[in-house]
Amino acid sequence: MNKIKGVKKISGEKDDIEKLNQIINLCRDNYNIAHDKTYSLAKSGIEICEKLSLSAEKNILETYLAFFLWHNNEPQKALSIIYSISEKLLANKNYLEFSLGVIITSLIEWAKGEVELAFNTINQAFEELKNKENTKVAIIRLNWNLGVFYFDLDEIEDSLRHYQLSKNSLDHETDFSVVAYINIGLATVYKKKLELEKAEKLFEEILVYSQTNNIWMVEARSYHELGMLEQLKENFDKAYSLFSKSYEIRLANNARPAIVTSLISMAQIDIVKKNFSNAEIKLLQALEISKEKNLKPKTSILMLQLSGIKEEQFKHKESLFYLKKHYELEKELKNVVKNNKNAYLQLTYKVQKTAKELEREKELSLLKTSFVSTASHQFRTPLAVIQSNTELLLMLLSKIDNHELERVKKVTGRITGQIAKMTELMDEVLILGKLTSGNVHYEAKELNLVEFCNILIQQFNAIQEDGRILEFKIIGETYRVKLDSKLLGHTLTNLISNAFKYSVGKENPELSIHFKAKEVILSVKDYGIGISKNEQLHLFEPFYRADNATDIKGTGLGLSIAKEYVEINRGNILVKSILGEGSCFEIIFKR
Ligand code: ADP
């Protein structure tokens, strides 16, 4: 099917056309196995097409060019090619390339969070192919694609159904890589359903299949997956040797992103075996590739692992550096995943999670919390040692003359100050860890807000060294509100201490409660340094600090914690501010 037909063979062009024919067949067979080769083949084929004005064949080859670009991390270019040729492919009955184009565009849109568009692209393609001949492979591909989407959404049964639909239609005509990827999809579903033996058996079959048919990408992937299954069984040596096999194949074929995956897995085993320096070498190598290829999810994992290793090596500063990068990336990435799921839920009005999935999520979050809390606690031990030694030093030195003693006190004062800062940072990282893993206790009770705020205000006013106080205003008829007082207390404490901290030398800050008919608004207002419009967008991100705050002490974590706490309390937080004039943070709770 899809051989070049109906091309007039004018003398002199015969060789070119034969060559073009060969090129197209080679692209069809190799696009998924030899990317670089397919790219140069497609390029040279397109040149021939242009010379001979063969537009249908040119479109075919452009599809493979787009596939290459997509794999080469140039999705935008790939998209614009496919969008411009898709209709022509369909009109020319080149369904093989048409369906490949659909896969490319829908997966790219998916990665951007365009869930509805991605689903629509596929459904529309199903419609277009209805009642047409020679569409079997195309339909198989589309079903595979749906399998991938549902898997991504954790809708495992739907994923399984679509993979099976495509598998059931396979025949000897289907190209090797499609067969292999459908089986990989199925085996991954089994793995997710914890049917590990079934998964292992299928991966072993895929391995043999890929070796017989020379599909190195699939061979490497199978070794890797089998390695992961051994790792689950805690057969670490066996797992390591499978990972290395996968790594060797990927290295030999210069499959850069996949090399990262192998290196991460091998490093994980090194870590289990406490070979930290070996692990570090692998991870740094992987990090270089990830950065070069802009692989954010991988980079994020690498940052977390490097942070753990640095912690083991007592290099706390570096550990914290990596941890911070990890958090920044996670925040960015979580949004894409969250958005896809949310968009999907809206699309289908489905809200359901199986007990098993919930269990898995719980396990994962437990892992995360335990890492963060171990890291934070371990930071504290050396800090306590430094603190007590500083005090000891001061005692020992108390015999020297007064002038010298003053100088020593200055130095130890600086040390103690930094220790306090570090301890505060650790406390906040610990809270953040609890938050990201969803382990925060929430218990709402009817609360008298006025009384609650009065106590808080007294505490604040008692500790101000510059004589300022917090003004208090109540607007509207008071009523009781159902809230978790601990979370609210922590949130307000942060906002109020910021208000004092960022408005030194200015008027008193104010706390007001506005009791409205349907909602209550708590606002903390100051007349201090303010925040620029641009920076307001980032204030609630962990570790973010505005430019004008650099000379004022802080960690950049308080507001991100405050925001999470407000949201757990079912409220919203927002900021209004003018640079140089002051800021007002508002928390809004529905009545
Ligand atoms: P921290 O104050 O420890 O740096 P936060 O998370 O509480 O961390 O605040 C993040 C950033 O938001 C601060 O670094 C500062 O730039 C800005 N910010 C917060 N509150 C105020 C305020 N009341 N006035 C001016 N800037 C503020």
Side-chain angles (χ1 to χ4, degrees):
M1 141 183 166
N2 285 316
K3 292 273 152 62
I4 305 177
K5 284 178 207 147
V7 177
K8 266 196 280 168
K9 293 185 178 154
I10 307 161
S11 62
E13 291 178 359
K14 198 168 164 237
D15 286 350
D16 272 347
I17 288 174
E18 216 153 79
K19 198 169 158 205
L20 189 56
N21 240 327
Q22 263 178 8
I23 289 178
I24 291 182
N25 284 332
L26 279 170
C27 283
R28 284 180 176 159
D29 290 341
N30 291 303
Y31 71 96
N32 213 347
I33 308 165
H35 295 152
D36 295 347
K37 187 172 144 202
T38 311
Y39 175 76
S40 46
L41 271 172
K43 274 272 185 205
S44 64
I46 289 173
E47 268 174 37
I48 300 177
C49 293
E50 279 167 355
K51 197 166 95 190
L52 305 180
S53 306
L54 300 172
S55 64
E57 288 71 18
K58 187 178 167 196
N59 294 157
I60 293 180
L61 291 169
E62 281 171 330
T63 314
Y64 295 103
L65 208 59
F67 185 87
F68 170 84
L69 289 169
W70 174 40
H71 270 256
N72 201 40
N73 225 356
E74 298 179 77
Q76 219 41 48
K77 282 192 194 162
L79 269 188
S80 68
I81 292 183
I82 300 293
Y83 281 139
S84 71
I85 61 174
S86 192
E87 272 179 31
K88 291 184 237 165
L89 288 169
L90 194 63
N92 292 326
K93 302 198 166 86
N94 285 317
Y95 302 133
L96 213 55
E97 280 73 28
F98 170 72
S99 60
L100 186 59
V102 170
I103 289 184
I104 296 172
T105 49
S106 63
L107 284 173
I108 294 176
E109 297 294 0
W110 187 263
K112 290 198 291 187
E114 296 288 346
V115 174
E116 190 165 5
L117 182 58
F119 267 121
N120 277 349
T121 312
I122 299 200
N123 289 334
Q124 211 177 329
F126 270 118
E127 279 299 306
E128 306 275 17
L129 295 175
K130 228 185 211 169
N131 304 326
K132 295 204 169 86
E133 280 176 22
N134 289 332
T135 57
K136 196 165 172 184
V137 180
I139 303 270
I140 289 174
R141 281 182 168 167
L142 298 183
N143 270 317
W144 169 81
N145 203 155
L146 284 179
V148 173
F149 283 174
Y150 284 118
F151 187 82
D152 218 25
L153 293 168
D154 264 359
E155 300 290 327
I156 301 306
E157 292 309 321
D158 281 335
S159 171
L160 183 62
R161 192 162 53 82
H162 284 281
Y163 282 141
Q164 263 162 354
L165 266 175
S166 52
K167 184 162 182 169
N168 292 343
S169 315
L170 292 179
D171 61 21
H172 61 277
E173 251 191 63
T174 325
D175 66 278
F176 298 134
S177 43
V178 172
V179 176
Y181 279 99
I182 290 168
N183 279 320
I184 287 180
L186 271 173
T188 330
V189 166
Y190 295 147
K191 195 169 89 179
K192 186 131 191 181
K193 286 168 67 115
L194 295 178
E195 297 176 9
L196 298 184
E197 275 175 30
K198 227 166 151 180
E200 187 170 342
K201 201 166 151 264
L202 192 49
F203 276 125
E204 275 164 358
E205 273 175 44
I206 302 169
L207 179 63
V208 175
Y209 180 84
S210 63
Q211 286 165 337
T212 334
N213 293 297
N214 240 337
I215 321 177
W216 66 264
M217 275 170 88
V218 178
E219 186 185 1
R221 170 82 186 263
S222 312
Y223 275 128
H224 188 84
E225 293 283 355
L226 288 167
M228 301 229 278
L229 291 171
E230 290 304 330
Q231 191 179 8
L232 276 179
K233 289 190 261 173
E234 299 193 358
N235 295 335
F236 295 118
D237 289 329
K238 209 164 164 190
Y240 191 89
S241 101
L242 288 162
F243 288 144
S244 324
K245 279 188 182 156
S246 164
Y247 172 72
E248 294 298 333
I249 297 171
R250 288 166 170 172
L251 197 64
N253 289 286
N254 196 26
R256 318 263 300 154
I259 291 174
V260 175
T261 314
S262 294
L263 285 169
I264 291 179
S265 294
M266 285 155 77
Q268 265 171 2
I269 309 270
D270 283 337
I271 292 173
V272 171
K273 300 195 143 202
K274 302 221 174 288
N275 290 332
F276 296 115
S277 51
N278 282 355
E280 188 183 354
I281 294 169
K282 294 191 179 87
L283 294 176
L284 287 176
Q285 195 186 337
L287 189 61
E288 204 172 299
I289 304 174
S290 299
K291 282 188 171 163
E292 174 200 315
K293 293 271 169 191
N294 198 19
L295 310 170
K296 287 187 181 157
K298 294 261 158 61
T299 312
S300 172
I301 297 174
L302 286 166
M303 293 298 179
L304 184 63
Q305 289 187 330
L306 280 165
S307 164
I309 289 179
K310 289 290 155 199
E311 180 53 33
E312 292 286 350
Q313 295 170 337
F314 297 105
K315 294 184 179 159
H316 306 306
K317 205 169 157 193
E318 286 169 63
S319 173
L320 193 63
F321 168 80
Y322 285 125
L323 192 63
K324 181 175 160 181
K325 292 272 174 220
H326 165 72
Y327 271 121
E328 285 168 4
L329 282 164
E330 278 304 285
K331 188 110 189 169
E332 201 178 311
L333 293 166
K334 232 170 66 194
N335 286 342
V336 174
V337 180
K338 231 194 227 162
N339 288 345
N340 273 11
K341 184 81 188 175
N342 286 349
Y344 171 72
L345 289 177
Q346 277 168 6
L347 262 176
T348 57
Y349 306 103
K350 259 175 48 181
V351 189
Q352 40 165 275
K353 259 194 186 155
T354 62
K356 211 184 243 173
E357 285 168 62
L358 277 174
E359 199 52 42
R360 255 197 66 244
E361 240 171 45
K362 241 191 193 157
E363 268 172 32
L364 268 177
S365 64
L366 215 72
L367 217 80
K368 226 169 166 181
T369 337
S370 74
F371 171 77
V372 176
S373 72
T374 314
S376 312
H377 285 306
Q378 286 189 4
F379 274 118
R380 284 225 190 84
T381 321
L383 286 176
V385 176
I386 299 169
Q387 175 70 39
S388 56
N389 277 288
T390 316
E391 284 162 18
L392 195 65
L393 202 65
L394 214 54
M395 256 169 59
L396 291 175
L397 287 171
S398 59
K399 296 190 181 68
I400 60 173
D401 75 64
N402 266 352
H403 176 65
E404 286 297 312
L405 187 62
E406 276 316 304
R407 286 178 58 190
V408 172
K409 273 186 179 162
K410 231 182 195 169
V411 174
T412 52
R414 277 204 292 264
I415 298 175
T416 313
Q418 291 300 315
I419 294 171
K421 196 171 155 187
M422 187 81 175
T423 313
E424 185 193 338
L425 179 65
M426 282 303 98
D427 285 340
E428 291 188 332
V429 168
L430 200 64
I431 296 178
L432 208 67
K434 271 195 189 151
L435 275 169
T436 36
S437 57
N439 278 344
V440 178
H441 184 71
Y442 169 75
E443 196 184 341
K445 278 191 189 137
E446 293 267 327
L447 199 65
N448 180 336
L449 273 180
V450 176
E451 209 172 87
F452 183 81
C453 288
N454 261 325
I455 297 173
L456 210 59
I457 290 169
Q458 276 170 22
Q459 287 168 0
F460 265 98
N461 289 349
I463 55 165
Q464 297 313 313
E465 288 171 356
D466 59 1
R468 286 185 300 158
I469 55 157
L470 186 65
E471 309 281 349
F472 191 28
K473 271 191 210 156
I474 300 155
I475 309 158
E477 191 108 351
T478 64
Y479 49 78
R480 293 172 87 88
V481 191
K482 210 170 167 195
L483 289 168
D484 182 306
S485 58
K486 263 206 180 129
L487 297 180
L488 179 67
H490 193 99
T491 310
L492 284 174
T493 302
N494 180 260
L495 297 182
I496 297 169
S497 62
N498 277 352
F500 275 111
K501 187 166 79 172
Y502 293 109
S503 70
V504 171
K506 298 281 159 90
E507 286 159 62
N508 287 336
E510 299 159 11
L511 167 66
S512 65
I513 315 177
H514 190 162
F515 291 94
K516 291 183 161 186
K518 292 195 174 136
E519 60 189 24
V520 56
I521 305 177
L522 289 133
S523 37
V524 180
K525 189 171 176 180
D526 68 64
Y527 299 92
I529 61 172
I531 309 146
S532 73
K533 268 261 165 307
N534 256 347
E535 291 178 302
Q536 286 174 30
L537 300 173
H538 303 285
L539 282 194
F540 299 101
E541 294 167 9
F543 298 107
Y544 187 85
R545 304 203 69 218
D547 274 348
N548 61 351
T550 39
D551 292 336
I552 303 168
K553 271 191 201 160
T555 60
L557 286 172
L559 280 182
S560 61
I561 295 171
K563 180 174 161 65
E564 301 272 355
Y565 276 4
V566 170
E567 283 169 4
I568 297 174
N569 242 333
R570 319 232 153 108
N572 278 317
I573 182 166
L574 53 92
V575 55
K576 295 171 182 166
S577 177
I578 298 174
L579 192 62
E581 292 187 16
S583 312
C584 179
F585 286 84
E586 285 186 2
I587 316 173
I588 303 151
F589 298 110
K590 290 260 167 296
R591 191 174 177 179

